[in-house]
Amino acid sequence: MGMIDNHLPTAELQALDAAHHMHPFTDGDKINAQGARVITRADGVTLTDSDGKEYLDAMAGLWCVNLGYGRNELAQVAAQQMQQLPFYNTFFMTTHPPVVALSARLAQLAPGDLNHVFFANGGSEANDTNIRLVRHFWASQGKPDKKVIISRKNAYHGTSVGSASLGGMTGMHAQGGLPIPDVTHIDQPFWWGEGGDSDPAEFGLARARALEAEIDRIGEDKVAAFIAEPVQGAGGVIVPPETYWPEIQRICDEREILLIADEVICGFGRTGNWFGSQSYNISPDIMTIAKGLSSGYIPIGGSIVSDHVAEVINSGGEFAHGYTYSGHPVACAVALENLRLLDEEGIVEHVGNVAGPYLTEKWKALEDHPLVGEARIKGMMAALELTPDKASRAAFEDKGSVGLLCRSHCFENGLVMRCVGDAMIISPPLILQRSDIDTLIERTVLALDKTYDGLKKDGLLK
Ligand SMILES: *Cc1c(COP(=O)(O)O)cnc(C)c1O
C-alpha cells in the first residue's frame, strides 16, 4: 500500500471536516473556507500529509511527541493491555498493576519527596485537580480562607474553566466569563517584550518580587498557592532570566504557600533534565504533568504531590474528586513504556549533552538574521522574536501578521513551526539528531529570508 492510500481524497476529507468537525483554538469560518491540512502518517520526526508532502515536525505535535513518531513498542504495549484489562476504575478501594507501576516509577523520577500521583487525562484536568487539592489542603488544616491562587499573565495552564482561569491569557478569559474567583495574575518574566531599558538580571528579580508584593497585597493567610511553568510554553517560550527562579523559590520558602510547577511541557526531558524544576533548581510541592508523559501517544496527565501534601489530603477523609479515566490502565501502560524508552535510550541525556547544546549553538546564531531580535532557547524549546528594528526591540505595526507570514513560509518549506504573535517557536521531538537540526535550521533560515524579502518589497521594514 502506498504512503497516501487508505483514505478519501484530500478535498473530500476537507469537505467532511468543514461540515462536521469543530476545531480547537481555530477560526471556524476560516478553516472551513481554506480547507484543513490533513496529516495522515508520521515516522521519527517527519509528518506526511494527505498529498504525500513531508514536514519536519519542529513542534512535536503539540509539545508532546518527545520520543518521536512510529514507536511500535508503544502500540504493542497498548494492544496487550487492551487484551488483558482494557479498563477498570481506581475509585472504590481498587487498583490495578499498570497504575501501580506508573505511580511508583514517577515517584522515582520526580525530584525531592514528590512521591504521590493523582491521575487525569491531560494537563487541564490535572490543573483542575490542583485547584481543588490546594484549597482542600488548607481548608482541612482549619484555613478555609486560604484559597487564592496566584498565577502569571500570559501563562498557559489548560482550557477547562478552572485551568483557563489559572492561565493568564486575556483572550481566553474574555470568552465565558473567566477567571473564576480567587485567582490573580502577576506580571511575567518576559524581558524582550516587557523589560524596557532594564538589565535582564535586575528585571528577573523585579518580576519575581511581584509575587512577594502580591502575597502582601492579598494577605498571606488568604493565599493557597503560586503556579507557574518553569519556562512558559504556549505564551511564547518565555525563558526567564537566571535570577528569576531562585528569588521565587526564596519567597515560597519564606511564605506559607504551596508552589505548583506546571511541568506539562517542561517535563520528561524537554529542558535537558527529567523536569524543568531540576533545570532551575525549583522545589515544588506539586507538579502538573501530561503531554510528554506518554509522548502524546495516548491522553494522560496528573499531579505529583509531596509527602506532606499527600499526608494532609489522605488524612482529611474522602477527597471528593476524580475522573472516570484517572489512571486508565492502557494509558498508564503506554506512559510506563514511554518512560522506559526515554530512560534506556538516554533521551534526556541526549537533550542535555548532545542535541540541546548543538541546537542552542545553531539557534543563537539566528540572531544574525536581520529579522531576528532575540533567539532564546532552553534545552529543546526555543523562540525567535521577529522585529522591524533590533535596537529598539520594536514590534510590527500589524501585530502577529509577520509571524503568520513566516509560519506559512515554513509550511511551504516542509517545516512545522508555530508563531505566537510575531515570535516563531519550536519544541521538537527530543530524538532530533544533528542532521535533523541542520535541516531544521536550513528551513528556518529559508523561511526567515522569504519573510524578510516580502516585507522589504512591501516597504514594511524600518
Ligand atoms: C498543554 C498544557 C496544559 C494543558 O494540557 P491539556 O492536556 O491540553 O489539557 C497545561 N499546562 C501547560 C503548561 C500546557 O502546555
Side-chain angles (χ1 to χ4, degrees):
M1 198 164 60
M3 287 290 277
I4 58 167
D5 297 347
N6 194 29
H7 60 74
L8 296 168
T10 302
E12 280 180 51
L13 288 169
Q14 289 171 330
L16 286 170
D17 188 78
H20 304 296
H21 177 205
M22 298 178 81
H23 291 248
F25 287 97
T26 300
D27 177 331
D29 279 352
K30 189 171 162 199
I31 195 173
N32 292 344
Q34 187 176 310
R37 181 176 295 107
V38 184
I39 301 297
T40 52
R41 350 173 34 94
D43 191 42
V45 300
T46 306
L47 302 168
T48 306
D49 75 12
S50 53
D51 298 325
K53 184 173 165 64
E54 294 189 343
Y55 308 82
L56 195 168
D57 182 11
M59 278 308 298
L62 212 42
W63 318 83
C64 55
V65 189
N66 289 8
L67 202 54
Y69 298 94
R71 294 303 301 252
N72 201 36
E73 296 91 333
L74 300 183
Q76 293 296 332
V77 158
Q80 281 164 13
Q81 186 58 48
M82 280 194 191
Q83 286 158 353
Q84 182 164 335
L85 180 72
F87 177 73
Y88 200 70
N89 72 71
T90 51
F91 280 38
F92 311 116
M93 310 297 275
T94 305
T95 195
H96 53 69
V99 79
V100 173
L102 181 61
S103 304
R105 182 67 181 126
L106 286 169
Q108 227 173 28
L109 286 173
D113 67 349
L114 295 169
N115 288 323
H116 314 266
V117 194
F118 195 106
F119 286 101
N121 299 293
S124 305
E125 284 185 2
N127 278 326
D128 276 15
T129 298
N130 292 340
I131 294 172
R132 303 196 63 202
L133 202 70
V134 299
R135 289 178 176 173
H136 184 52
F137 171 87
W138 293 114
S140 58
Q141 296 174 94
K143 297 177 179 171
D145 293 335
K146 217 167 149 53
K147 61 187 177 191
V148 176
I149 302 174
I150 302 172
S151 179
R152 303 184 298 182
K153 292 174 188 165
N154 196 38
Y156 188 80
H157 295 298
T159 194
S160 59
V161 170
S163 62
S165 295
L166 293 181
M169 305 217 161
T170 47
M172 290 176 72
H173 290 171
Q175 297 175 349
L178 304 181
I180 57 171
D182 298 314
V183 176
T184 69
H185 301 84
I186 58 174
D187 285 327
Q188 55 179 335
F190 181 28
W191 179 80
W192 166 267
E194 301 173 3
D197 294 335
S198 68
D199 167 66
E202 284 301 316
F203 178 74
L205 279 179
R207 285 288 154 106
R209 287 174 189 156
L211 174 60
E212 204 161 37
E214 184 70 351
I215 295 170
D216 288 337
R217 186 184 72 81
I218 298 162
E220 189 173 327
D221 55 340
K222 296 207 164 52
V223 178
F226 173 61
I227 182 168
E229 304 152 79
V231 177
Q232 276 156 281
V237 186
I238 314 293
V239 180
E242 288 296 328
T243 48
Y244 182 77
W245 274 110
E247 187 68 357
I248 291 283
Q249 186 64 54
R250 174 191 68 77
I251 295 162
C252 291
D253 288 346
E254 287 178 17
R255 303 306 188 101
E256 194 190 44
I257 67 167
L258 297 172
L259 173 57
I260 308 169
D262 187 335
E263 294 269 5
V264 170
I265 289 175
C266 294
F268 308 103
R270 173 91 22 224
T271 66
N273 287 292
W274 276 96
F275 297 97
S277 292
Q278 294 162 321
S279 296
Y280 285 102
N281 242 321
I282 309 167
S283 310
D285 302 285
I286 299 175
M287 284 192 331
T288 318
I289 56 171
K291 294 194 172 119
L293 169 57
S294 66
S295 283
Y297 278 61
I298 200 162
I300 184 168
S303 308
I304 314 184
V305 314
S306 69
D307 287 343
H308 179 56
V309 170
E311 196 178 67
V312 170
I313 297 294
N314 287 342
S315 64
E318 178 185 319
F319 181 39
H321 178 75
Y323 306 102
T324 299
Y325 300 131
S326 285
H328 190 287
V330 180
C332 288
V334 171
L336 194 61
E337 181 68 359
N338 173 59
L339 297 181
R340 183 182 76 79
L341 293 169
L342 285 174
D343 180 31
E344 289 184 4
E345 296 177 5
I347 307 291
V348 181
E349 293 76 14
H350 175 70
V351 174
N353 305 329
V354 183
Y358 187 65
L359 179 62
T360 300
E361 178 196 324
K362 298 276 167 180
W363 194 258
K364 280 284 182 191
L366 295 174
E367 274 182 3
D368 292 339
H369 194 278
L371 210 51
V372 176
E374 181 181 67
R376 52 176 184 265
I377 178 163
K378 185 75 181 177
M380 298 277 260
M381 57 196 297
L384 298 174
E385 291 287 347
L386 308 186
T387 174
D389 182 38
K390 293 185 187 221
S392 68
R393 311 212 301 269
F396 288 101
E397 248 160 59
D398 186 7
K399 254 194 164 179
S401 61
V402 177
L404 285 174
L405 188 67
C406 186
R407 188 182 71 176
S408 56
H409 286 310
C410 289
F411 274 117
E412 277 163 33
N413 301 339
L415 175 66
V416 178
M417 176 146 69
R418 220 172 117 184
C419 60
V420 174
D422 292 315
M424 305 308 299
I425 61 175
I426 59 165
S427 169
L430 306 184
I431 56 163
L432 225 58
Q433 300 299 312
R434 277 167 181 264
S435 59
D436 302 317
I437 293 172
D438 292 338
T439 305
L440 190 165
I441 296 292
E442 261 165 45
R443 293 181 189 175
T444 303
V445 170
L446 190 56
L448 289 170
D449 285 347
K450 284 186 174 173
T451 307
Y452 184 74
D453 291 346
L455 291 174
K456 218 167 170 185
K457 214 175 73 200
D458 296 340
L460 292 173
L461 287 170
K462 288 198 179 129

